[in-house]
Amino acid sequence: QEQPVESGGGLVQAGGSLRLSCTASRLRLDDFALAWFRQAPGDEREEVACISFTGQSTHYVDSVQGRFTVSRDNGKNMLYLQMNSLKPEDTAMYYCAAVARSECKTTIQGLHVLTAWGQGTQVTVSS
């Protein structure tokens, strides 16, 4: 399985912003719907945001709605997550994944991840 590569994480104060990026060297991301997940220590991995195959639909977990924006650039084979108004509870390792093309049209729930998990990128928000 192809393993995407995430970047852009870091340490930021509460209220700050970060932009995460994701790409894959041997996988055309434009063949899939795409998603961001995160996992905090001791917690299960959770879906954060997804973008449909066409890019026309985006969905978010309630806790980031209105603060995070997911986007894709198929020409550059890239996926992004713009994170604004960051909170300490956003602290986690963030991962990207390709999901089935039919998913993320109406909901972020029930995503089927088709790629191996990469190393992720750490986001730490200080209070």
Side-chain angles (χ1 to χ4, degrees), residues 6-109:
E6 304 90 350
S7 62
L11 173 63
V12 64
Q13 288 187 332
S17 297
L18 285 172
R19 187 194 195 204
L20 306 185
S21 299
C22 168
T23 191
S25 60
R26 295 175 295 175
L27 183 70
R28 288 189 51 163
L29 297 182
D30 60 1
D31 283 340
F32 303 93
L34 302 170
W36 286 98
F37 294 76
R38 68 184 178 187
Q39 187 170 22
D43 290 346
E44 293 187 355
R45 193 166 357 224
E46 66 167 345
E47 302 93 340
V48 175
C50 69
I51 184 165
S52 64
F53 165 66
T54 62
Q56 291 182 336
S57 297
T58 58
H59 298 281
Y60 303 89
V61 66
D62 287 347
S63 59
V64 308
Q65 183 76 47
R67 299 188 296 121
F68 290 12
T69 302
V70 60
S71 61
R72 62 192 301 166
D73 186 334
N74 290 338
K76 295 182 178 180
N77 207 40
M78 295 292 293
L79 172 70
Y80 303 102
L81 185 66
Q82 178 67 43
M83 306 186 297
N84 298 329
S85 302
L86 282 161
K87 303 176 180 180
E89 50 264 44
D90 295 318
T91 294
M93 189 72 78
Y94 283 71
Y95 304 87
C96 63
V99 301
R101 189 181 292 191
S102 61
E103 295 176 349
C104 192
K105 289 182 179 178
T106 60
T107 179
I108 195 174
Q109 300 299 321

Side-chain angles (χ1 to χ4, degrees), residues 106-123:
T106 60
T107 179
I108 195 174
Q109 300 299 321
L111 300 179
H112 294 84
V113 174
L114 302 176
T115 46
W117 295 111
Q119 293 190 338
T121 187
Q122 177 67 40
V123 172

